[in-house]
């Protein structure tokens, strides 16, 4: 089972009507989207967070339940739901404006954490804008530091950086490197690297991440596919890349989240979701995991909004 931690918000998606600019509310948030993606792929998953009792919060919880995501560790509270207004322009990454102050999901505190995790939890996924807000950042940080033990679950980080949410870049990078050291897998996009280590370049950035302690560094490269570096016990690095599937792109909302969820789902389904299991991955298996995740991401890009595919849809997409 995979545990997704972090923000759950409402994406306000552009929907012009009658010559006016309008927006349609859609459930979203990086770890939330990833939880839905994992659930749709048939992999056991739970969500840990704090959600509002307002009608947007009801929408968020309902969608999790409809997609087989466990909601046992969701705290409900009276604060408003976070809103994220999205701007879409052809050929550009989506732009966002977030309304987060005093919101329910950002209010998760260390006291809200379960005192222990159930044995079925084999992976904890965290990251995104939750790690730029308090007290939720401290709460999740407390959880991953607590669970980072030699026999603990795999910990998978996706920073999914939104620079406008970060007031002090140097302080963020210092804290980010602490999360990397506590992680088993670090999934970092090319755009994330350009913010964290500007001018260093992809190769040196990936090696720098591995040197901090994770067993695997994943990077998504847009139309160029994805790449994984797996550090073996003998110090060698297994370096594998896989392509995307060429589908007509509607937008890229939820692509990285779906990739991350699909990659972890593959590991869980293949019996590789453990620290020892990761080390046993062959080149062929790592390619299969990456290509499976790329297929899922390609499918979500062929649709409007974060609408992850089912397992049957991914399996039916051959090339």
């Amino acid at each position: 089972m995979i545990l997704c931690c972090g923000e759950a918000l409402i994406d306000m998606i552009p929907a012009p009507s009658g010559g006016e600019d309008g927006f349609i509310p859609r459930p979203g948030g990086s770890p939330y989207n990833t939880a839905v993606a994992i659930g749709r792929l048939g992999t056991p998953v739970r969500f840990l967070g704090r959600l509002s009792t307002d009608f947007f919060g009801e929408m968020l919880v309902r969608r999790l339940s409809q997609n087989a995501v466990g909601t046992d560790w969701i705290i409900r509270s009276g604060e408003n739901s976070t809103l994220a207004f999205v701007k879409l322009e052809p050929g550009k990454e989506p732009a966002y404006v977030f309304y987060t102050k005093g919101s329910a999901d950002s209010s998760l505190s260390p006291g809200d954490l379960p005192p222990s995790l159930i044995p079925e939890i084999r992976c904890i996924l965290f990251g995104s804008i939750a790690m730029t807000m308090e007290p939720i950042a401290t709460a999740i940080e407390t959880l991953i530091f607590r669970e980072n033990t030699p026999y603990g679950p795999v910990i998978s980080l996706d920073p999914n950086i939104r620079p406008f949410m970060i007031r002090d870049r140097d302080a963020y990078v210092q804290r980010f490197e602490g999360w990397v050291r506590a992680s088993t897998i670090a999934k970092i996009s090319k755009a994330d690297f350009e913010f964290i280590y500007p001018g260093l370049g992809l190769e040196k950035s990936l090696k720098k991440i591995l040197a901090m302690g994770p067993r695997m560094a994943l990077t998504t490269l847009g139309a160029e596919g994805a790449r994984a570096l797996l550090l073996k016990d003998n110090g060698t690095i297994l370096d594998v890349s896989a392509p995307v599937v060429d589908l007509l792109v509607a937008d890229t909302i939820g692509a990285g989240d779906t990739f991350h969820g699909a990659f972890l789902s593959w590991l869980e389904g293949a019996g590789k979701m453990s620290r020892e299991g990761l080390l046993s991955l062959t080149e062929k298996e790592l390619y299969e995991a990456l290509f499976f995740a790329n297929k899922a991401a390609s499918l979500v890009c062929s649709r409007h909004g974060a609408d992850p595919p089912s397992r049957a849809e991914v399996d039916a997409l051959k090339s």
Side-chain angles (χ1 to χ4, degrees):
M1 180 179 288
I2 299 168
L3 178 64
C4 297
C5 311
E7 77 272 9
L9 50 82
I10 297 296
D11 281 326
M12 303 299 287
I13 307 296
S17 176
E20 297 286 338
D21 291 333
F23 293 87
I24 295 176
R26 292 284 185 263
S30 179
Y32 180 95
N33 291 337
T34 305
V36 170
I38 293 168
R40 288 191 179 179
L41 292 170
T43 301
V45 57
R46 283 190 180 193
F47 189 83
L48 171 63
R50 188 180 182 97
L51 300 185
S52 179
T53 53
D54 65 19
F55 56 83
F56 284 140
E58 291 298 323
M59 183 188 300
L60 288 162
V61 174
R62 183 167 59 250
R63 188 166 191 250
L64 290 176
S65 297
Q66 290 170 344
N67 288 282
V69 180
T71 58
D72 313 54
W73 288 339
I74 291 177
I75 294 100
R76 305 299 299 276
S77 63
E79 299 95 347
N80 290 337
S81 296
T82 293
L83 302 181
F85 284 79
V86 185
K87 182 180 181 181
L88 300 175
E89 293 184 273
K92 295 183 179 180
E93 290 290 312
Y96 295 86
V97 176
F98 289 91
Y99 293 85
T100 64
K101 188 174 182 180
S103 60
D105 59 342
S106 68
S107 300
L108 184 77
S109 71
D112 293 327
L113 298 175
S116 62
L117 299 183
I118 58 176
E120 289 82 3
I121 300 295
R122 285 186 285 271
C123 177
I124 302 172
L125 175 149
F126 77 106
S128 194
I129 68 164
M131 306 309 290
T132 67
M133 303 183 291
E134 293 294 352
I136 187 174
T138 294
I140 294 175
E141 192 175 68
T142 299
L143 177 68
I144 62 168
F145 288 169
R146 185 187 83 187
E147 298 298 327
N148 179 32
T149 66
Y151 301 102
V154 169
I155 297 174
S156 192
L157 165 66
D158 178 6
N160 194 31
I161 294 170
R162 302 287 183 242
F164 57 84
M165 293 290 292
I166 298 169
R167 295 182 179 179
D168 185 332
R169 181 192 162 278
D170 291 343
Y172 175 85
V173 171
Q174 182 177 13
R175 201 171 183 184
F176 161 82
E177 291 182 343
W179 306 329
V180 171
R181 293 186 184 96
S183 298
T184 325
I185 299 171
K187 179 244 169 212
I188 304 173
S189 71
K190 187 177 180 180
D192 291 338
F193 275 134
E194 289 170 356
F195 177 83
I196 302 165
Y197 303 128
L200 187 60
L202 183 63
E203 296 297 324
K204 290 182 179 179
S205 294
L206 286 167
K207 298 291 178 62
K208 184 179 178 74
I209 291 297
L210 276 185
M212 293 181 196
R215 282 299 184 172
M216 184 183 294
L218 281 176
T219 189
T220 50
L221 304 167
E224 297 174 22
R227 183 178 172 193
L229 274 65
L230 175 63
L231 179 62
K232 299 283 192 172
D233 268 343
N234 62 6
T236 62
I237 295 175
L238 186 61
D239 189 343
V240 179
S241 297
V244 297
V245 179
D246 188 16
L247 298 177
L248 184 64
V249 175
D251 64 50
T252 59
I253 296 175
D257 307 330
T258 299
F259 173 91
H260 195 188
F263 185 83
L264 296 178
S265 292
W266 190 96
L267 292 178
E268 179 77 345
K272 299 291 184 177
M273 188 62 85
S274 67
R275 296 169 189 239
E276 297 78 14
L278 286 178
L279 291 178
S280 72
L281 284 168
T282 65
E283 183 175 353
K284 179 177 181 293
E285 288 171 332
L286 189 49
Y287 177 88
E288 289 177 359
L290 286 173
F291 189 52
F292 180 83
N294 279 340
K295 288 198 294 181
S298 295
L299 283 165
V300 84
C301 286
S302 71
R303 307 167 177 178
H304 289 287
D307 184 15
S310 67
R311 179 61 186 257
E313 289 175 310
V314 177
D315 288 342
L317 189 63
K318 300 302 181 184
S319 62

